[in-house]
Amino acid sequence: MSDPAPDAATPDPDLLIEFDSVNLRRDGRNLVGPIDWRVELDERWVIIGPNGAGKTSLMRMAAAEVYPTSGTANLLGEPRHKAVAQDLSSRIGVCSAALAARVPADELVTDLVVSAGYSVLGRWREQYDGVDIARAVDMLESMGAEHLANRRYGTLSEGERKRVMISRALMTDPELMLLDEPAAGLDLGGREELVARLSTLALDPDAPAIVLVTHHVEEIPPGFTHAMLLKEGEVVTQGLLTDVLTAESLSETFSQRIVLERSGKRYFARRAARPGRRRLQS
Ligand SMILES: Nc1ncnc2c1ncn2[C@@H]1O[C@H](COP(=O)(O)OP(=O)(O)OP(=O)(O)O)[C@@H](O)[C@H]1O
Ligand SMILES: [Mg+2]
């Protein structure tokens, strides 16, 4: 069978993601790229960009769900096509709306988490190993969701679902974790709870490399080290978070003048007031 994946040069074994001039095209349109991107084991990346910027498309290439149309892509120190043959699903933990949408409503939370270790989603009829069940409970506990273990997925709130899906992504002790908008749909308390949990994970030297997609700088957990800003499929800037996350780069990315503030280890952004605007008289 011919392999449509771009042929890779010698992969660097220390790089989890190694993209050189990677593009993803659909219907004659460039969705994302050209992108050069390198992610190392101890790095925690945040990807920021407006709707349609190509963030999810980039995550799908990093999760080996889609092939780049062109360029060189190595994942987990393997050429892209070879790595796929080895089945990356246990080595890359994914939490995305697309995956969550495929979970049957009547799935038991423990089954959903433990089944990640068997690379299946949905009702799994085999007997699980007791060790795996214990690990699933541990993972739920690490996300503050152990009390949900016996609930059905369809009955959970949005925030509870997010925590369960991240527990599932952690279940296989992956080398790389890809989180596409995990805070979407959460209320303020839920968001803060998730940011704190992700911060704990980010600061844990034994945790996998993490790539987190978000629209909001308020959702960047302390401990994240790198950022990529994407606009219309292209990289505006990427590198160390403290270097690249600036009012200027955000303004360019979101095509409006943005004010960025930092309070402790958290970021806050808003649109700059337009100069010369008269106040309404009361
Ligand atoms: N399979 C596809 N075929 C054609 N166009 C697609 C396909 N998948 C995505 N697109 C388009 O590619 C662009 C980037 O989509 P993508 O989902 O990657 O954006 P995003 O940055 O994740 O946006 P959002 O913040 O809204 O989630 C969008 O214009 C989208 O409509
Ligand atoms: Mg998206």
Side-chain angles (χ1 to χ4, degrees):
M1 199 177 84
S2 68
D3 189 332
D7 210 7
T10 311
D12 182 335
D14 293 331
L15 292 176
L16 298 177
I17 298 175
E18 189 179 16
F19 284 0
D20 280 318
S21 303
V22 158
N23 281 279
L24 184 66
R25 293 180 71 78
R26 289 288 181 273
D27 306 329
R29 202 180 131 220
N30 214 36
L31 305 191
V32 62
I35 292 218
D36 295 328
W37 186 28
R38 279 160 176 63
V39 174
E40 293 186 30
L41 190 60
D42 58 351
E43 293 177 350
R44 284 83 173 94
W45 281 75
V46 60
I47 313 285
I48 298 180
N51 291 127
K55 304 179 297 296
T56 296
S57 305
L58 181 64
M59 287 303 94
R60 295 187 69 212
M61 287 194 288
E65 287 173 20
V66 290
Y67 287 110
T69 313
S70 60
T72 301
N74 299 321
L75 288 172
L76 310 187
E78 305 274 359
R80 168 71 172 79
H81 57 280
K82 205 170 152 196
V84 166
Q86 289 176 344
D87 188 8
L88 290 181
S89 56
S90 66
R91 298 174 63 196
I92 303 180
V94 175
C95 174
S96 68
L99 183 64
R102 298 202 334 253
V103 178
D106 62 351
E107 179 81 344
L108 267 180
V109 165
T110 312
D111 289 353
L112 175 59
V113 175
V114 81
S115 62
Y118 298 78
S119 299
V120 292
L121 184 65
R123 280 167 259 169
W124 174 250
R125 301 296 182 199
E126 300 298 318
Q127 285 294 309
Y128 296 121
D129 198 307
V131 177
D132 291 340
I133 299 273
R135 179 168 172 82
V137 172
D138 279 354
M139 293 305 101
L140 285 165
E141 209 172 301
S142 75
M143 292 306 296
E146 68 277 17
H147 60 293
L148 305 172
N150 295 319
R151 294 273 299 278
R152 307 236 168 235
Y153 184 76
T155 69
L156 303 181
S157 79
E158 199 53 42
E160 290 167 342
R161 287 180 190 195
K162 293 281 167 33
R163 279 193 263 167
V164 167
M165 290 308 282
I166 296 173
S167 306
R168 178 184 156 92
L170 285 166
M171 175 70 197
T172 58
D173 194 15
E175 290 150 71
L176 174 63
M177 197 152 85
L178 305 171
L179 307 173
D180 193 348
E181 292 192 52
L186 301 194
D187 68 16
L188 182 60
R191 181 193 82 182
E192 289 302 294
E193 171 76 26
L194 186 66
V195 166
R197 301 249 173 223
L198 291 180
S199 179
T200 304
L201 203 58
L203 292 165
D204 180 351
D206 294 330
I210 308 172
V211 182
L212 166 73
V213 170
T214 179
H215 291 119
H216 304 292
V217 299
E218 290 78 0
E219 292 171 3
I220 301 175
F224 271 61
T225 57
H226 289 71
M228 177 192 287
L229 273 58
L230 266 185
K231 179 185 184 181
E232 295 170 7
E234 292 186 18
V235 177
V236 174
T237 181
Q238 62 166 316
L240 277 177
L241 180 69
T242 45
D243 291 345
V244 303
L245 193 69
T246 62
E248 292 70 33
S249 62
L250 282 172
S251 300
E252 190 181 339
T253 305
F254 288 92
S255 307
Q256 49 190 302
R257 219 152 63 80
I258 302 287
V259 176
L260 178 69
E261 283 161 14
R262 197 171 167 179
S263 170
K265 292 178 177 161
R266 298 288 297 277
Y267 292 92
F268 301 88
R270 62 184 163 79
R271 187 157 71 168
R274 292 200 194 131
R277 263 190 129 195
R278 297 229 323 263
R279 285 196 179 175
L280 290 174
Q281 302 289 323
S282 57

